[in-house]
Amino acid sequence: MPIPHRVLVRGVPASFAAALTGLPLAAPLDPARAQRQHAGYVAALAELGLEVLAVPTDEACPDCCFVEDTAVVAAGLALVTRPGAPSRRPEVAAIAAVLARHLPVVTMDAPATLDGGDCLRLGATIYVGRSARTNEAGIAALAAAFGPHGLAVVPVPMPAGVLHLKTVCSPLADDCMLLAEGTIAPATFVGVRIISVPPGEAHAANVLAVGTHCLVPHDAPETAERVTRAGWTVHAIDTSELRRADGALTCPSILF
Ligand code: CIR
């Protein structure tokens, strides 16, 4: 993976209490707690030397902190998505405006839908989850954007009930990834070294690697140990309130 220099983020709005959740919650979401955790996440990325591009938060978009879903950046190009959840579509304009200061930007039209959380790049391949959020036209738009830049797009059927492809896996390097045991068949990812994540820590299959550093959930000691043994410097991060809204560690950032 090219080592990124910048990270695009967007603060957690007070309206986060109304963010989408796959399952009903026993207690309401706590925006203040999510804001504190998000600030810690951004600080950790800044300490790694990344330039932070902060898009102003939008109270009209409760999920706007989950910027990953709004754009796919690869090969020096940004594809701004049409998110699968209609409530999230107003998020993209502000993201596109900031990305356009740095990269050529292309967009996709209805009926295409695609969430960046479904896109996993490993070397010259982008694996894309065929999920409830990402449809065939979205996958075709992804291939049309990045195919001419030498990237192959490989659709991956998703297990029932899994929000995004990267809910159960994440890249560590061009040829190495984390994958939650018992989810997607490891053979799906050809020529890739897979570090498996035990069922008790399935939420930690989504980590954020930046070069030789890796942000790992604070409550996943076995995964942290496996990632450390594989050669990464692990930084334990608590984003548990964002996780209650189905957001894992890759979700609040776009690295490029
Ligand atoms: C949603 O359901 O869209 C948000 N509450 C969570 C999005 C998480 N994004 C991601 O995994 N890339």
Side-chain angles (χ1 to χ4, degrees):
M1 297 195 290
I3 296 185
H5 300 291
R6 301 186 181 99
V7 59
L8 184 150
V9 298
R10 194 172 200 179
V12 177
S15 61
F16 179 73
L20 298 173
T21 59
L23 297 171
L25 298 175
L29 290 165
D30 180 343
R33 184 164 183 262
Q35 284 165 346
R36 283 194 301 275
Q37 293 180 347
H38 186 268
Y41 172 92
V42 175
L45 292 173
E47 274 171 33
L48 295 181
L50 293 170
E51 177 190 356
V52 176
L53 307 177
V55 179
T57 196
D58 184 349
E59 288 297 336
C61 297
D63 285 289
C64 70
C65 53
F66 300 123
V67 291
E68 172 181 57
D69 294 319
T70 62
V72 180
V73 178
L77 177 75
L79 171 65
V80 171
T81 69
R82 184 168 177 269
S87 69
R88 300 200 55 192
R89 292 183 193 147
E91 294 175 23
V92 301
I95 303 287
V98 173
L99 287 173
R101 292 182 205 142
H102 301 275
L103 298 159
V105 168
V106 294
T107 57
M108 60 176 67
D109 298 318
T113 64
L114 180 89
D115 278 10
D118 274 318
C119 300
L120 170 82
R121 180 179 174 188
L122 293 166
T125 304
I126 303 177
Y127 295 91
V128 54
R130 194 181 272 132
S131 71
R133 298 284 180 93
T134 293
N135 65 16
E136 288 308 321
I139 294 171
L142 184 71
F146 292 108
H149 294 266
L151 296 175
V153 168
V154 176
V156 179
M158 295 298 298
V162 175
L163 176 61
H164 290 130
L165 174 61
K166 280 191 288 190
T167 304
V168 294
C169 59
S170 54
L172 287 170
D174 281 341
D175 58 356
C176 184
M177 66 186 287
L178 280 184
L179 176 61
E181 264 176 59
T183 56
I184 295 168
T188 304
F189 305 100
V190 177
V192 178
R193 174 181 169 211
I194 291 184
I195 298 173
S196 67
V197 172
E201 296 187 1
H203 65 280
N206 183 291
V207 299
L208 186 65
V210 180
T212 58
H213 294 266
C214 189
L215 273 54
V216 175
H218 69 297
D219 52 357
E222 179 57 33
T223 303
E225 174 63 26
R226 292 181 190 187
V227 173
T228 301
R229 252 188 277 133
W232 275 264
T233 301
V234 163
H235 305 262
I237 298 285
D238 180 2
T239 54
S240 48
E241 195 62 22
L242 298 172
R243 201 194 300 159
R244 294 182 69 226
D246 303 328
L249 280 176
T250 60
C251 310
S253 58
I254 299 172
L255 296 169
F256 63 101

